[in-house]
């Protein structure tokens, strides 16, 4: 992907390091309160942070947030950032959307958890079916949980042991999905902590968009479920080839294999996700972090036929714990926040605003790249935009992994923060929310152009 030992993304490593060093000093000098508060880490936390990935931000230390509202973060040094990370999709509709904030305040006086349905739950099931098209639903707390439970159902009703994933996939921390192709061979994903099993015994892995490989992998009819995002995200983004999803559905049905579509990130496509926009027909559907406006919640749905098969399975299985469900799942705070999100936040009008500004952002970034002659490209799925420091388009997870330019991306990230813009730390993802303004988009495009000019000079 146009990367050598002396360059990344067509930019020399010496120039990249010079930029990152200079921008790191600017970052430190601007944030004395954050530097003092964070020091060498927050006392009492392993690694100095409440969650290990907080140390993965490429800034010299994490921004310490005072508050966030809409599409803006204010840190404890009083610096405002236009937020295009938005909690890596968890706050895709902005920080504390007013309808969700009102629902949380209202529910906080009515009880936060009691293992029983309430008035919002009586409405929520219908809202989910109408919005996403699947017949029957369950509530979980994270997309990881929802994916794990859905895969368990798939294995139960098919009696098959294996699942199939696409190379480069990400479905939370579901064990079976933590596999990769390395040198064309399936292996455990490098870096897994404490994993003592060969996960490839239960999981097949092929490249996204590779229809012949998919057909071959399904031919043994031992795959219970294919789990996939409709677009590979959480890496350098990979769009499906024309006809790929039609082939995926045809081949899974031919093999008696179920299809799970995980829309946790691609809900950026529209109110019904990529599934509704493009007429996909999954047997199982998962949506995680943005569904409750930032409150930890997820949903997973089943088609009418699969729900019928699962009921038949439950009538015959030995009684006992199914291995699915957590005590705080399906709590009334989730119900209230999800209802508000579905009814008042995930609206056609909000998505139209998001789509318009995301197109403006993608066009502006592409123009900046072209004007400086950089071998990069931009891709977009609805309100989700990424710049990729390699030529494109990318067709599969192997190409996406090769396209990463970690030193270059880190330097760009810190430089953008110093220009008042925050993007996702793990890849070059940017989200446009209903609260995002044209001025914020133009500021990001201008900042990106300034950084590109420094790198291309």
């Amino acid at each position: 992907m146009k990367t050598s030992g002396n360059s990344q993304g067509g930019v020399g490593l010496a120039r990249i390091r010079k930029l990152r060093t200079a921008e790191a000093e600017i970052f430190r000098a601007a944030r004395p309160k954050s530097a003092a508060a964070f020091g060498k880490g927050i006392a009492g936390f392993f690694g100095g942070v409440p969650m290990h990935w907080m140390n993965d931000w490429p800034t010299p230390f994490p921004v310490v947030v005072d508050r966030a509202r809409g599409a803006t973060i204010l840190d404890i040094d009083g610096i405002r950032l236009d937020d295009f990370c938005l909690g890596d999709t968890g706050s895709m509709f902005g920080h504390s959307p007013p309808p969700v904030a009102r629902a949380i305040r209202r529910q906080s006086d009515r009880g936060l958890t009691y293992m029983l349905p309430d008035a919002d739950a009586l409405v929520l099931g219908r809202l989910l079916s109408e919005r996403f098209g699947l017949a029957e639903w369950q509530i979980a707390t994270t997309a990881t949980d929802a994916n794990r439970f859905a895969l368990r159902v798939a294995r139960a009703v098919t009696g098959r042991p294996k699942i199939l994933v696409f190379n480069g996939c990400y479905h939370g921390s579901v064990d079976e999905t933590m596999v990769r192709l390395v040198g064309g061979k399936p292996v455990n994903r490098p870096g897994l902590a404490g994993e003592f099993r060969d996960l490839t015994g239960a999981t097949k892995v092929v490249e996204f968009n590779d229809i012949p490989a998919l057909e071959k992998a399904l031919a043994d009819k031992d795959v219970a479920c294919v789990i996939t995002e409709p677009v590979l995200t959480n890496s350098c983004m990979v769009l499906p080839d024309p006809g790929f999803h039609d082939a995926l559905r045809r081949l899974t049905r031919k093999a008696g294999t179920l299809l799970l579509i995980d829309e946790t990130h691609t809900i950026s496509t529209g109110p019904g996700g990529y599934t509704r926009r493009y007429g996909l027909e999954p047997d199982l559907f998962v949506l995680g972090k943005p569904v409750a406006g930032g409150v930890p919640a997820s949903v997973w749905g089943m088609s009418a036929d699969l729900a019928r098969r699962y009921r038949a399975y439950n009538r015959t299985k030995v009684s006992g714990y199914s291995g699915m469900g957590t005590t705080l799942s399906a709590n009334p705070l989730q119900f209230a926040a999800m209802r508000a999100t579905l009814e008042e936040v995930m609206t056609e009008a909000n998505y139209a605003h998001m789509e318009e500004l995301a197109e403006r952002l993608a066009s502006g970034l592409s123009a900046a790249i072209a004007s400086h002659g950089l071998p990069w490209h931009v891709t977009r799925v609805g309100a989700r935009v990424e710049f990729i420091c390699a030529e494109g388009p990318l067709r599969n997870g192997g190409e996406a992994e090769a396209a990463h330019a970690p030193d270059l991306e880190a330097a760009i990230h810190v430089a953008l923060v110093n220009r008042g813009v925050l993007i996702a730390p793990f890849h070059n993802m940017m989200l446009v929310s209903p609260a995002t303004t044209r001025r914020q988009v133009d500021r990001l495009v201008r900042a990106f152009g300034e950084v590109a000019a420094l790198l291309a000079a």
Side-chain angles (χ1 to χ4, degrees), residues 157-338:
V157 302
T158 63
R160 295 178 178 183
K162 297 186 178 183
I163 66 165
L164 184 146
V165 301
F166 293 107
N167 189 36
C169 72
Y170 182 76
H171 300 286
S173 56
V174 178
D175 290 347
E176 303 101 303
T177 67
M178 295 292 180
V179 297
R180 287 292 184 271
L181 288 175
V182 176
K185 297 182 179 180
V187 299
N188 283 11
R189 180 174 174 167
L192 289 181
E195 183 53 69
F196 57 90
R197 298 162 296 173
D198 178 6
L199 299 174
T200 64
T203 305
K204 296 183 177 183
V205 53
V206 301
E207 290 285 12
F208 197 71
N209 283 321
D210 190 339
I211 295 173
L214 173 65
E215 185 169 22
K216 182 178 180 181
L218 295 177
D220 292 334
K221 297 189 176 182
D222 57 353
V223 175
C225 187
V226 172
I227 175 173
T228 186
E229 296 180 285
V231 172
L232 285 189
T233 69
N234 226 58
S235 63
C236 295
M237 194 155 59
V238 179
L239 303 179
D241 286 346
F244 174 70
H245 278 294
D246 290 338
L248 173 60
R249 183 68 281 196
R250 174 177 55 81
L251 291 173
T252 49
R253 284 175 171 153
K254 178 182 176 182
T257 296
L258 299 173
L259 176 61
L260 190 164
I261 297 292
D262 180 352
E263 290 257 23
T264 297
H265 288 127
T266 54
I267 194 64
S268 62
T269 309
Y274 198 100
T275 295
R276 180 59 65 88
R277 172 74 64 86
Y278 294 101
L280 307 187
E281 298 178 351
D283 303 293
L284 292 151
F285 178 101
V286 165
L287 174 57
K289 38 193 170 180
V291 71
V295 171
S298 66
V299 296
W300 56 284
M302 295 175 276
S303 68
D305 179 65
L306 179 57
R308 176 189 58 77
R309 293 171 65 185
Y310 187 44
R311 276 191 288 273
Y313 168 85
N314 281 328
R315 286 194 294 268
T316 60
K317 84 174 185 73
V318 176
S319 62
Y321 178 48
S322 66
M324 299 188 297
T326 56
T327 305
L328 293 181
S329 293
N331 67 64
L333 185 63
Q334 291 174 327
F335 299 151
M338 276 192 281

Side-chain angles (χ1 to χ4, degrees), residues 46-238:
F46 178 79
V49 287
M51 187 66 181
H52 64 85
W53 41 247
M54 290 182 180
N55 280 325
D56 291 339
W57 289 84
T59 48
F61 46 83
V63 170
V64 182
V65 176
D66 177 62
R67 60 186 180 273
R69 180 70 59 83
T72 303
I73 282 177
L74 181 70
D75 72 16
I76 63 173
D77 286 279
I79 298 174
R80 293 185 182 276
L81 293 171
D82 294 331
D83 188 8
F84 289 86
C85 173
L86 294 171
D88 195 19
T89 310
S91 292
M92 191 180 88
F93 303 108
H95 297 288
S96 300
V100 176
R102 288 193 297 269
I104 292 171
R105 287 194 295 269
R106 184 175 63 250
Q107 189 59 47
S108 67
D109 286 333
R110 300 179 177 182
L112 298 179
T113 188
Y114 28 71
M115 293 185 69
L116 292 167
D118 65 3
D120 288 324
L122 301 179
V123 177
L124 192 55
R126 172 183 56 79
L127 289 176
L128 290 168
S129 294
E130 291 175 352
R131 177 65 61 93
F132 303 114
L134 283 84
E136 301 188 29
W137 293 84
Q138 290 280 272
I139 309 298
T141 300
T142 68
T144 292
D145 287 339
N147 280 319
R148 185 180 291 122
F149 302 157
L151 290 176
R152 190 177 284 271
V153 169
R155 286 183 164 125
V157 302
T158 63
R160 295 178 178 183
K162 297 186 178 183
I163 66 165
L164 184 146
V165 301
F166 293 107
N167 189 36
C169 72
Y170 182 76
H171 300 286
S173 56
V174 178
D175 290 347
E176 303 101 303
T177 67
M178 295 292 180
V179 297
R180 287 292 184 271
L181 288 175
V182 176
K185 297 182 179 180
V187 299
N188 283 11
R189 180 174 174 167
L192 289 181
E195 183 53 69
F196 57 90
R197 298 162 296 173
D198 178 6
L199 299 174
T200 64
T203 305
K204 296 183 177 183
V205 53
V206 301
E207 290 285 12
F208 197 71
N209 283 321
D210 190 339
I211 295 173
L214 173 65
E215 185 169 22
K216 182 178 180 181
L218 295 177
D220 292 334
K221 297 189 176 182
D222 57 353
V223 175
C225 187
V226 172
I227 175 173
T228 186
E229 296 180 285
V231 172
L232 285 189
T233 69
N234 226 58
S235 63
C236 295
M237 194 155 59
V238 179

Side-chain angles (χ1 to χ4, degrees), residues 380-426:
R380 179 173 75 90
V381 176
R384 182 187 181 98
V385 180
E386 290 183 17
F387 65 87
I388 297 170
C389 300
E391 294 176 341
L394 306 175
R395 291 198 63 249
N396 57 50
E399 291 185 5
E401 184 172 357
H404 273 299
D407 296 320
L408 174 59
E409 293 164 6
I412 294 170
H413 182 102
V414 180
L416 289 177
V417 170
N418 287 337
R419 288 158 177 79
V421 177
L422 189 71
I423 67 173
F426 309 118

